[in-house]
Amino acid sequence: MIRKLLPPLALVGALALLPVATATQAAADADTFKELETFMGVFERVRANYVDKVDDHTLIKGAIDGMLASLDPHSSYLEASDFNQLRTTTDGNYGGLGLSVTQEDGTVKVISPTEDTPADRAGIKAGDYITHLDGELLYGLDLDASVDKMRGPPGSSIKLTIVRPGRDKPFDVTLRRERIELRPVKWEIKEGVGVLNINQFSANVGEQVAAALTAMDKAAGGKPIGYVVDLRSNPGGLLDQAVTVSDAFLDRGEIVSERGRAKDDIERFYARPGDLAGGRPIVVLVDAGSASAAEIVAGALQDHRRAIVMGERSFGKGSVQTVIQLDQQSALRLTTARYYTPSGKSVQAGGIDPDIIVPQLSDPDYKDRPTVREADLRRHLIAQNKVDDKLLEKDETVDPRFSLTAAELEKKGVKDFQLDYAVKSLKRLAAGPTGLPKAR
């Protein structure tokens, strides 16, 4: 059964359109057949004359991989092991390290570690390059193969060689694999504010969010003065769960739309009556690791003026992939649509810009640590709506609110500056004459 997800794991339906036989189409078909003849000629030459014998399956799979890799970073061909890997990642139950990674110039680059996993506890950071696994060079190995090497039986150890920008030399980190059973939703009451941490949009996250809001109400002895929805380092997941979570805080209106190749290929998703937060103020936290489904939620609440978005510009993953199972052993993951926020903005390559930019001062490396976003990936899909470059420029102006160092914050007992800033902002709003915009 095909399900909708958003990258890194987005699934939608697909429809094949039969071409109309016209003179123009016939000419195009002739050109296509000529190209296919060229392909078959190369295939036969390699098959017959390559220095080592190569089986047909290896050659054809390589051709398919190359075709899809020429499109964008998220289209790919999945065989049995890769397809199983996709499903285990969606389920959030596998033996591994807890890393979201991409490939850059033949090397593995960390997008973000998942909270409370071996990689997170070891201090691996976004922007780190993983060059070796157990001393074996990863350069040139495809991303799926690199990820497969990082996974393994829980309890087994693996040594990662890390190159971190700003450090003179590479360093090794030895990690012990664990069963990654993600707790996608966690909550706590912090100074009267409900903090809702959503790590991934896997199955049943919408139900867990509703349960967490009820539990926070009981723990606060009523309702909290406001809510922080923490979507930092959330790589995305299921589209329907992003819609359900957005719906939990909205009474009406569009949440997100998907737009395919054809002008009339549009699907819209709407909120239903009922705000589970009771209209109380909301702050949404995002960073460069907040992608796809997380951006849908942030964009919907921002466009409806239901929440203030704080943190850093998000990843910018605004495309939808279709995963179509071809047979029992293979599947095709193909980019088929872009998604848009209620105001009509495509976040593809541009991301969600926070209403208030709040740097993570608790991270001593935040100024020097490079961030990885969709726009940094080779052959990334261009947004149909032009992105204003001025919005993407880094503001170098020193903000007096953000002058403390990580060491100074630690002395004050602040381990997470962005969260602390969000909580204090909600407390100030609750104490003052004005509040955040209510749901419309």
Side-chain angles (χ1 to χ4, degrees):
M1 182 178 64
I2 296 177
R3 295 191 65 185
K4 290 188 178 181
L5 302 91
L6 287 170
L9 306 170
L11 305 183
V12 295
L15 180 64
L17 300 180
L18 296 177
V20 178
T22 65
T24 303
Q25 186 66 50
D29 288 345
D31 290 339
T32 300
F33 288 133
K34 184 177 180 180
E35 296 291 345
L36 289 174
E37 286 178 2
T38 301
F39 167 75
M40 288 304 300
V42 172
F43 174 78
E44 291 296 343
R45 288 284 186 178
V46 173
R47 188 187 193 197
N49 300 318
Y50 186 66
V51 64
D52 293 322
K53 186 176 181 179
V54 185
D55 64 88
D56 292 351
H57 175 77
T58 299
L59 293 177
I60 294 172
K61 184 180 184 300
I64 294 173
D65 289 341
M67 175 176 60
L68 294 171
S70 70
L71 301 176
D72 67 83
H74 309 290
S75 296
S76 61
Y77 176 65
L78 308 170
E79 291 197 322
S81 59
D82 300 323
F83 195 32
N84 289 334
Q85 178 177 302
L86 174 66
R87 290 192 293 190
T88 56
T89 303
T90 309
D91 294 340
N93 189 336
Y94 58 91
L97 306 176
L99 279 172
S100 294
V101 296
T102 186
Q103 195 163 45
E104 182 178 290
D105 297 327
T107 61
V108 176
K109 191 172 187 178
V110 176
I111 295 176
S112 64
T114 303
E115 184 182 3
D116 196 26
T117 60
D120 180 50
R121 293 192 292 271
I124 294 177
K125 299 180 179 181
D128 285 348
Y129 292 91
I130 304 173
T131 61
H132 296 73
L133 295 177
D134 287 332
E136 180 183 349
L137 181 67
L138 292 181
Y139 183 81
L141 198 65
D142 69 72
L143 186 60
D144 287 337
S146 299
V147 170
D148 190 54
K149 286 180 177 291
M150 283 187 268
R151 290 186 174 167
S156 60
S157 296
I158 186 171
K159 181 175 70 175
L160 279 62
T161 301
I162 305 293
V163 172
R164 178 171 294 167
R167 290 205 182 186
D168 295 334
K169 297 180 179 180
F171 59 94
D172 293 335
V173 178
T174 299
L175 304 177
R176 189 176 296 277
R177 297 180 180 93
E178 294 180 2
R179 176 65 60 185
I180 307 298
E181 296 181 3
L182 298 178
R183 292 176 55 203
V185 178
K186 293 185 282 189
W187 65 270
E188 63 176 323
I189 301 296
K190 200 174 183 68
E191 300 180 36
V193 173
V195 178
L196 182 67
N197 189 336
I198 306 175
N199 294 310
Q200 190 177 36
F201 287 89
S202 53
N204 301 319
V205 161
E207 294 178 8
Q208 293 182 50
V209 165
L213 290 171
T214 300
M216 283 190 283
D217 291 350
K218 292 181 179 179
K223 281 190 179 292
I225 59 177
Y227 300 91
V228 175
V229 181
D230 190 351
L231 300 177
R232 292 173 297 172
S233 297
N234 184 320
L238 293 162
L239 170 62
D240 61 348
Q241 297 305 305
V243 170
T244 302
V245 170
S246 301
D247 190 10
F249 301 105
L250 294 172
D251 265 325
R252 64 183 67 87
E254 183 178 305
I255 293 173
V256 66
S257 63
E258 285 182 10
R259 307 183 191 181
R261 179 194 293 184
K263 291 183 179 180
D264 59 350
D265 184 9
I266 301 176
E267 186 173 6
R268 301 180 186 275
F269 301 86
Y270 295 92
R272 297 167 298 180
D275 176 0
L276 299 184
R280 282 169 173 74
I282 298 171
V283 168
V284 175
L285 282 177
V286 296
D287 63 10
S290 306
S292 79
E295 293 172 296
I296 284 179
V297 175
L301 298 187
Q302 184 183 55
D303 281 3
H304 283 287
R305 301 176 61 83
R306 179 64 185 92
I308 284 182
V309 178
M310 292 185 183
E312 303 165 357
R313 181 164 57 90
S314 63
F315 185 77
K317 186 67 189 67
S319 64
V320 180
Q321 278 66 50
T322 297
V323 176
I324 308 169
Q325 190 164 352
L326 303 176
D327 54 38
Q328 294 298 319
Q329 299 297 321
S330 63
L332 174 64
R333 179 168 56 190
L334 186 67
T335 299
T336 54
R338 294 173 176 86
Y339 71 78
Y340 291 75
T341 68
S343 65
K345 176 186 175 183
S346 168
V347 302
Q348 173 62 23
I352 299 294
D353 290 292
D355 300 301
I356 302 175
I357 297 175
V358 182
Q360 183 55 299
L361 301 183
S362 305
D363 180 0
D365 299 322
Y366 88 93
K367 288 184 178 179
D368 301 320
R369 180 166 49 85
T371 54
V372 184
R373 292 185 172 91
E374 175 76 8
D376 300 315
L377 304 182
R378 286 188 175 182
R379 294 183 298 275
H380 66 270
L381 202 65
I382 302 300
Q384 288 178 328
N385 287 359
K386 291 183 178 180
V387 178
D388 186 355
D389 291 338
K390 292 180 180 179
L391 295 176
L392 308 182
E393 293 175 359
K394 186 175 181 181
D395 186 0
E396 299 292 347
T397 305
V398 177
D399 191 322
R401 296 173 299 173
F402 309 134
S403 59
L404 292 177
T405 65
E408 291 170 336
L409 287 169
E410 188 173 2
K411 288 181 180 179
K412 292 177 175 290
V414 177
K415 296 181 179 179
D416 185 339
F417 178 75
Q418 289 175 324
L419 178 58
D420 183 72
Y421 191 91
V423 169
K424 285 182 168 54
S425 296
L426 283 170
K427 290 181 65 179
R428 286 193 294 268
L429 287 166
T434 60
L436 290 174
K438 303 297 183 183
R440 296 186 296 176

